[in-house]
């Protein structure tokens, strides 16, 4: 977490594609296709040692029983989990299969991740493709190629987002699950499931690109880029946005005029629909653009009572208030209280890393916390060892001051420092 906290500020490198990444790209190029509906179908990019992988069946069963016990203790979580799996089945993203077959399957343990801040799915089921068992100790992720990054980095997207007069954001609905996995590979994406402990244990086979597999991010984003390449002649504006202003399933872009924004929004819907990618959760600083979008396709704006802010959404780690067109920091360390435990390296690092600021908008203040973190590292403290009195006092002072960042509102739009005449 700390490493990523620093890396977000580094200038992206232009390193060449590794041999493994190139193999993954070549595999995608030679094996993917689009079915009659226009959706993409991909093969799992397996390494040569894939046949050595164990089925992980026993571990998956044990993990499922542990999950089942947890769900029985939490009826609300169980209801959300059951709804998630039911939707998976109803949408045709998985199917029940017979355990007796002539192929060597792989079973994915799964568990719940709660996302209270999500405007749609509060409970996400995560499939553990890193699970491994004896005798080979190879997981599915161990035998999958990982492809290169094919989208722009967050900093570049956010910088462009600040230059447009009219801006909009949107989300591609269930992006991974809009891409089908070839039938010859789906047996490596099986799970155990039942809704109630008295029901017989079922085997479900996941039929789409699965969140949690090592190859999924590349496959999903690469399909988007491929769609843009194939449809660019018909939808040039949308193709450019997908290739430049899309981060995983989040679209964050803009234009100079309202007419251009309306055309961009229209092209994005049409082009993505051709690949089976529905797009929703539209938000914009332009009431005119939003007036053209159905209510059920708009993003839900949220109030922030502690900041006296009424309408914000999260955009790539920052908060955006589209009505006033201002940016805010998403989270800060909380002010110290008497109930706080003594500060340790672990506590301080965790609190400092909350200050996600990819554009450096709040850097002068966050720098003080970063300097403290560096000094802690030099002191060679254990993770859970309390810091000395001087450091504790300095940390308390910082924790008192840092929450003031939450009151800062910065204008989203900024004029470029120069314009090119080329």
């Amino acid at each position: 977490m700390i490493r990523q906290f620093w890396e977000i500020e580094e200038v992206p490198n232009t390193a060449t594609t590794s041999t493994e990444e190139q193999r993954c790209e070549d595999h995608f190029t030679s094996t993917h296709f689009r079915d009659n509906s226009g959706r993409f179908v991909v093969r799992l990019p397996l390494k040569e040692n894939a046949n050595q992988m164990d089925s992980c069946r026993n571990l998956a069963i044990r993990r499922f029983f542990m999950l089942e016990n947890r769900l029985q203790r939490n009826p609300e979580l169980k209801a959300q989990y059951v709804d998630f799996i039911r939707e998976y089945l109803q949408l045709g993203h998985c199917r029940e299969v017979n355990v007796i077959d002539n192929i060597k399957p792989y079973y994915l343990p799964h568990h719940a991740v709660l996302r209270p801040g999500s405007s749609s799915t509060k409970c996400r089921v995560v499939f553990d493709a890193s699970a491994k068992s004896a005798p080979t100790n190879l997981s599915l992720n161990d035998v999958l190629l990982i492809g290169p990054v094919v989208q722009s980095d967050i900093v570049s997207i956010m910088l462009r987002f600040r230059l447009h007069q009219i801006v909009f954001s949107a989300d591609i609905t269930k992006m991974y699950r809009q891409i089908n996995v070839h039938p010859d590979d789906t047996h490596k994406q099986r799970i155990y499931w039942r809704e109630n402990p008295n029901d017989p244990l079922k085997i479900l086979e996941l039929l789409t690109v699965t969140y949690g597999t090592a190859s999924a991010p590349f496959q999903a984003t690469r399909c988007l880029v491929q769609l843009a390449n194939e449809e660019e002649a018909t939808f040039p504006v949308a193709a450019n946005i997908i290739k430049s202003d899309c981060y995983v399933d989040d679209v964050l872009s803009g234009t100079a005029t309202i007419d251009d924004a309306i055309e961009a929004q229209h092209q994005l819907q049409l082009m993505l629909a051709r690949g089976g990618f529905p797009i929703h959760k539209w938000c914009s600083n332009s009431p005119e653009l939003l007036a053209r979008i159905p209510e059920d396709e708009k993003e839900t704006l949220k109030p922030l009572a502690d900041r006296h802010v009424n309408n914000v959404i999260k955009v790539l780690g920052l908060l955006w208030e589209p009505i006033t067109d201002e940016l805010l920091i998403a989270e800060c360390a909380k002010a110290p209280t008497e109930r706080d435990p003594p500060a340790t390296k672990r506590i301080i690092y965790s609190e400092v890393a909350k200050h996600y600021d990819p554009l450096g908008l709040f850097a002068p203040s966050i720098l003080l916390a970063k300097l403290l973190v560096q000094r802690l590292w030099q002191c060679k403290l254990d993770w859970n060892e309390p810091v000395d009195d001087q450091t504790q006092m300095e940390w308390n002072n910082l924790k008192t001051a840092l929450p003031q960042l939450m009151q800062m509102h910065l204008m989203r739009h900024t004029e470029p420092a120069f314009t090119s005449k080329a």
Side-chain angles (χ1 to χ4, degrees):
M1 182 177 65
I2 289 296
R3 177 175 55 81
Q4 292 173 345
F5 182 57
W6 254 268
E7 286 179 350
I8 192 65
E9 298 179 351
E10 294 181 1
V11 176
N13 64 57
T14 55
T16 57
T17 303
S18 69
T19 302
E20 181 172 308
E21 289 173 340
Q22 188 60 51
R23 284 178 58 203
C24 192
E25 166 66 25
D26 294 342
H27 179 274
F28 173 86
T29 302
S30 61
T31 60
H32 84 275
F33 62 92
R34 293 170 70 178
D35 62 19
N36 293 334
S37 70
R39 291 183 185 273
F40 283 87
V41 180
V42 298
R43 298 293 306 263
L44 293 181
L46 298 169
K47 299 178 182 177
E48 291 83 356
N49 61 343
N51 59 352
Q52 301 174 17
M53 179 179 60
D54 187 73
S55 69
C56 209
R57 177 180 179 274
N58 293 332
L59 176 62
I61 291 178
R62 289 199 305 271
R63 293 267 296 272
F64 175 75
F65 290 152
M66 293 170 59
L67 168 69
E68 192 171 55
N69 290 333
R70 178 189 176 193
L71 297 182
Q72 289 299 107
R73 296 192 301 269
N74 189 334
E76 183 179 354
L77 176 60
K78 178 180 177 179
Q80 294 180 38
Y81 211 98
V82 168
D83 287 345
F84 188 98
I85 299 295
R86 283 180 180 176
E87 182 195 56
Y88 232 94
L89 283 162
Q90 291 166 359
L91 293 176
H93 296 164
C94 69
R95 65 178 180 181
E96 187 176 353
V97 297
N98 193 331
V99 67
I100 302 174
D101 48 33
N102 297 320
I103 54 179
K104 186 178 181 181
Y106 179 83
Y107 292 87
L108 299 161
H110 50 98
H111 61 275
V113 172
L114 297 178
R115 303 184 301 165
S118 172
S119 61
S120 55
T121 308
K122 304 297 182 183
C123 169
R124 167 176 281 178
V125 176
V126 175
F127 302 100
D128 183 9
S130 295
K132 57 185 71 178
S133 61
T136 63
N137 282 325
L138 285 176
S139 70
L140 178 59
N141 281 346
D142 289 332
V143 301
L144 285 173
L145 295 168
I146 301 175
V149 175
V150 297
Q151 292 181 322
S152 295
D153 60 275
I154 286 180
V155 173
S156 299
I157 295 173
M158 290 294 290
L159 285 174
R160 286 192 291 270
F161 182 65
R162 297 197 70 195
L163 297 178
H164 301 296
Q165 289 281 354
I166 308 296
V167 289
F168 54 83
S169 66
D171 177 83
I172 299 173
T173 309
K174 297 178 176 63
M175 184 177 81
Y176 284 24
R177 287 160 56 187
Q178 308 302 344
I179 304 165
N180 292 324
V181 171
H182 194 281
D184 289 348
D185 292 339
T186 53
H187 64 279
K188 297 188 181 300
Q189 298 187 151
R190 291 185 176 178
I191 66 170
Y192 285 104
W193 174 247
R194 64 184 175 192
E195 292 190 3
N196 298 293
N198 295 328
D199 296 339
L201 203 58
K202 298 178 180 178
I203 297 175
L204 304 182
E205 196 164 273
L206 310 184
L207 306 177
T208 61
V209 169
T210 299
Y211 187 83
T213 57
S215 56
F218 168 76
Q219 289 177 315
T221 55
R222 184 63 179 81
C223 284
L224 278 186
V225 172
Q226 186 67 26
L227 177 67
N229 290 336
E230 294 179 9
E231 303 289 349
E232 189 167 16
T234 307
F235 305 105
V237 175
N240 182 63
I241 290 173
I242 290 299
K243 289 192 280 188
S244 300
D245 294 337
C246 192
Y247 189 79
V248 191
D249 57 355
D250 293 319
V251 177
L252 195 65
S253 189
T255 61
T257 67
I258 182 61
D259 288 340
D260 290 343
I262 292 171
E263 175 64 17
Q265 190 266 342
H266 181 64
Q267 284 196 24
L268 278 168
Q269 283 188 314
L270 293 179
M271 188 187 80
L272 288 170
R274 287 197 176 185
F277 295 106
I279 186 169
H280 68 160
K281 293 187 179 181
W282 291 94
C283 189
S284 176
N285 65 338
S286 168
E288 186 175 347
L289 177 61
L290 287 176
R292 296 169 175 268
I293 299 172
E295 285 298 322
D296 61 350
E297 294 183 10
K298 295 179 184 178
E299 176 64 285
T300 301
L301 302 180
K302 295 183 177 180
L304 294 176
D306 58 334
R307 307 196 206 182
H308 307 291
V309 176
N310 292 325
N311 302 289
V312 297
I313 66 167
K314 213 166 191 179
V315 288
L316 301 186
L318 290 177
L319 294 177
W320 175 39
E321 191 173 10
I323 295 175
T324 60
D325 208 8
E326 295 174 325
L327 295 174
L328 301 80
I329 195 166
E331 190 175 0
C332 279
K334 296 180 180 179
T337 68
E338 294 181 356
R339 298 186 301 274
D340 289 349
T344 63
K345 184 167 75 171
R346 186 186 303 278
I347 289 174
I348 292 177
Y349 277 28
S350 177
E351 290 289 305
V352 170
K354 291 179 179 178
H355 300 80
Y356 184 75
D357 181 29
L359 295 180
L361 301 176
F362 310 94
S365 297
I366 298 175
L367 176 63
L368 299 175
K370 288 188 171 185
L371 291 174
L372 177 60
V373 165
Q374 287 183 333
R375 290 206 304 276
L376 281 179
W377 194 264
Q378 293 169 349
C379 292
K380 301 186 183 302
L381 291 173
D382 290 335
W383 282 103
N384 299 313
E385 181 180 349
V387 299
D388 60 76
D389 292 342
Q390 177 63 33
T391 302
Q392 178 73 62
M393 183 174 66
E394 186 176 351
W395 174 236
N396 286 342
N397 290 338
L398 273 173
K399 286 193 69 177
T400 301
L402 285 173
Q404 297 178 47
L405 292 176
M406 295 193 295
Q407 308 306 319
M408 293 183 63
H409 295 229
L410 300 175
M411 293 306 300
R412 189 275 314 164
H413 181 247
T414 182
E415 295 292 341
F418 64 90
T419 56
S420 172
K421 296 182 180 180

